[in-house]
Amino acid sequence: MGRALIIGCGGVAGVVIHKCCQNSDVFEEIMIASRTKSKCDAIKEKLDGTTATKIRTAKVDADNVDELCALIDEYKPDIVMNIALPYQDLTIMDACLKCGVNYMDTANYEPEDTDDPEWRAIYEKRCRDEGFTAYFDYSWQWAYKKKFEDAGLTALLGSGFDPGVTQAYCAYAQKHLFDEIDTIDILDCNGGDHGYPFATNFNPEINLREVSAPGSYWEDGHWVEIPAMSIKREYDFDQVGHKDMYLLHHEEIESLAKNIPGVQRIRFFMTFGQSYLTHMKCLENVGMLSTTPIEFEGHQIVPIQFLKALLPDPATLGPRTKGKTNIGCIFTGKKDGKEKTAYIYNVCDHEECYREVGSQAISYTTGVPAMIGAAMLLTGKWNKPGVYTVEEFDPDPYMEALNKWGLPWQIDDKPVLVD
Ligand code: NDP
């Protein structure tokens, strides 16, 4: 049915590639293109002969629009799947517009260099206007809406688990379970243990930037920002047990606040163990999370990039990680004039993911919805020109695909609420 160009070959892309190869009716051909071609060749070698999907590989620098265009013009994909880093979102969107091809990704744009004065001026204005200080926000990619509409192309933003599946849960709750949604609490619990004192489950630079930033939530039409990790709750997660969780800023809050009419409050909580938090605080205190380059023995070094080089590669955590994830959304609202609650969630087992695709569950829960999002566009189930997040499409085919492709969901209609 279609041909996909997959950019990036890290932890999440490994799952995306396996899943596309399981779904050969839709992904007849894929090209894996990344900065380090040997990683693309290694996964091609592993999968060739086990799948009907035809695999090619290439080297590309996705920061370079001309290089991307040369590859797109040569391969002629029906969709470009950006599974590299959020730093590349805009260059890949530019290349898709130039070459006339649909686009998707799993995380919204943030700049690699947060000291760039041009970016910083826009960022500081946005902090004042909007009231949250995260480095990432949707404005950069929403600014492409008209260009994609005029070109008759679709850009699907943030089709991982969170963002991604969590927004499909919201659209499903809106369509089938509630007349009005009052509050949404997104709970992201990782009950997995990889045995290292400190490691991140996805790209360390992106992960540590996200969790060390101030938290924020949406309430009564505006953002409320709080110091990092200053709101803590305990929750008893199905199949995982009691965990401490902390309120974080998260990108889907921004789009849900626009797209779920009448919603009064949206919060996002993620679980962290004490060891993770202690390590992170210590690294932050000594300056290791800084993105500002420093001079060291004649070299320019970005501290957080040096830290990334020291930490275990998330793609190697698969064989060591045991336990489960539980990620979902708790809703309160009204149906037929009565108060109602619902909790839609998925439980995913790290070891089962490893047996199936050789990855831990964080990469799995991101990679499966990325494949599904691309399949929605390739099969025409989701088809409208412009730039959209997941909750702006019909959730039904996506929710059905989650059950089919390894992330089955369930609904608890009497969940314990978070105070
Ligand atoms: P990794 O660091 O493991 O992989 C990133 C890949 O992108 C690497 O293969 C890297 O190449 C490649 N890459 C980086 N820069 C370039 C470039 N300029 N040109 C070409 N390729 C490049 O990251 P993850 O797999 O952990 O994460 C991938 C994405 O998934 C991130 O955007 C992350 O934010 C997102 N994510 C989303 C989640 C969700 O639920 N929505 C959850 C978790 C992650 P090289 O190997 O040479 O370094």
Side-chain angles (χ1 to χ4, degrees):
M1 184 173 289
R3 178 184 280 202
L5 169 59
I6 300 170
I7 299 185
C9 195
V12 175
V15 178
V16 172
I17 294 158
H18 275 86
K19 286 302 202 182
C20 291
C21 289
Q22 287 177 13
N23 192 2
S24 301
D25 289 346
V26 172
F27 296 88
E28 286 172 329
E29 297 181 33
I30 59 171
M31 173 173 278
I32 314 165
S34 192
R35 195 165 48 183
T36 313
K37 183 168 178 286
S38 55
K39 290 189 190 171
C40 310
D41 292 335
I43 194 158
K44 170 178 159 58
E45 197 177 316
K46 182 177 165 207
L47 286 167
D48 268 343
T50 69
T51 172
T53 302
K54 288 201 189 74
I55 308 173
R56 285 176 56 191
T57 63
K59 176 174 167 58
V60 75
D61 175 2
D63 292 320
N64 182 323
V65 177
D66 291 339
E67 247 186 65
L68 284 165
C69 283
L71 184 64
I72 294 171
D73 284 341
E74 189 254 318
Y75 187 59
K76 301 201 172 13
D78 302 297
I79 187 167
V80 175
M81 302 176 67
N82 171 10
I83 317 293
L85 296 177
Y87 308 150
Q88 282 84 46
D89 287 5
L90 302 186
T91 45
I92 300 178
M93 287 177 86
D94 283 333
C96 285
L97 275 172
K98 266 194 161 174
C99 304
V101 56
N102 293 322
Y103 168 89
M104 64 85 53
D105 65 34
T106 67
N108 71 11
Y109 173 69
E110 65 181 274
E112 187 160 10
D113 177 9
T114 52
D115 293 324
D116 172 17
E118 206 179 313
W119 174 84
R120 197 115 207 141
I122 298 169
Y123 163 75
E124 280 165 10
K125 180 173 183 313
R126 191 266 286 158
C127 294
R128 286 192 301 275
D129 292 350
E130 298 286 332
F132 68 93
T133 57
Y135 286 149
F136 50 87
D137 75 273
Y138 275 117
S139 63
W140 297 90
Q141 291 179 278
W142 282 340
Y144 283 72
K145 200 169 178 62
K146 176 125 188 2
K147 288 187 202 161
F148 271 77
E149 272 167 15
D150 291 348
L153 298 171
T154 306
L156 171 62
L157 308 184
S159 187
F161 205 107
D162 45 340
V165 175
T166 48
Q167 286 139 291
Y169 289 171
C170 293
Y172 182 89
Q174 170 102 324
K175 182 173 177 184
H176 296 289
L177 307 179
F178 290 88
D179 296 327
E180 281 166 47
I181 295 177
D182 295 333
T183 69
I184 304 170
D185 277 335
I186 303 167
L187 309 192
D188 179 330
C189 164
N190 180 9
D193 182 6
H194 43 59
Y196 287 117
F198 186 71
T200 63
N201 293 296
F202 67 95
N203 183 282
E205 198 177 324
I206 306 296
N207 182 237
L208 289 166
R209 273 188 181 200
E210 175 179 283
V211 303
S212 58
S216 57
Y217 58 98
W218 179 259
E219 191 167 49
D220 297 331
H222 61 91
W223 289 95
V224 180
E225 188 158 271
I226 56 156
M229 305 290 168
S230 60
I231 294 186
K232 174 185 171 187
R233 299 284 185 271
E234 195 194 305
Y235 200 80
D236 185 9
F237 289 92
D238 181 26
Q239 299 182 55
V240 174
H242 287 270
K243 289 275 170 198
D244 289 338
M245 59 185 192
Y246 298 82
L247 189 144
L248 298 185
H249 176 83
H250 224 245
E251 64 201 64
E252 65 266 50
I253 303 177
E254 197 188 350
S255 68
L256 289 169
K258 289 198 193 312
N259 294 323
I260 303 291
V263 67
Q264 291 157 20
R265 192 187 67 202
I266 312 172
R267 300 182 298 186
F268 181 98
F269 291 91
M270 189 176 273
T271 63
F272 295 102
Q274 198 48 53
S275 169
Y276 183 97
L277 293 178
T278 308
H279 277 81
M280 193 180 78
K281 195 75 219 160
C282 174
L283 291 166
E284 188 179 15
N285 285 343
V286 298
M288 283 298 282
L289 303 191
S290 168
T291 55
T292 305
I294 57 150
E295 182 89 9
F296 179 73
E297 294 188 347
H299 299 279
Q300 289 276 309
I301 290 179
V302 177
I304 197 167
Q305 287 177 0
F306 178 66
L307 175 64
K308 176 178 185 262
L310 294 175
L311 290 174
D313 178 352
T316 64
L317 297 178
R320 311 171 51 100
T321 310
K322 298 182 179 14
K324 293 180 180 177
T325 61
N326 177 329
I327 317 175
C329 302
I330 300 179
F331 302 94
T332 67
K334 290 169 203 75
K335 179 76 179 169
D336 301 328
K338 292 196 192 108
E339 300 284 330
K340 179 181 164 89
T341 60
Y343 185 13
I344 312 180
Y345 65 94
N346 161 265
V347 175
C348 193
D349 185 305
H350 285 283
E351 287 173 282
E352 276 175 23
C353 296
Y354 185 69
R355 275 193 292 276
E356 186 194 324
V357 298
S359 297
Q360 34 83 356
I362 304 302
S363 300
Y364 190 90
T365 53
T366 310
V368 172
M371 178 281 282
I372 291 172
M376 292 293 118
L377 300 195
L378 285 175
T379 56
K381 288 186 176 133
W382 286 0
N383 180 14
K384 49 182 178 183
V387 176
Y388 299 100
T389 43
V390 168
E391 75 274 20
E392 294 180 271
F393 290 99
D394 178 8
D396 293 348
Y398 195 93
M399 293 290 277
E400 199 182 307
L402 289 169
N403 283 334
K404 178 170 177 191
W405 292 105
L407 294 176
W409 43 277
Q410 46 197 307
I411 302 181
D412 174 354
D413 56 11
K414 296 223 167 13
V416 174
L417 302 181
V418 182
D419 63 21

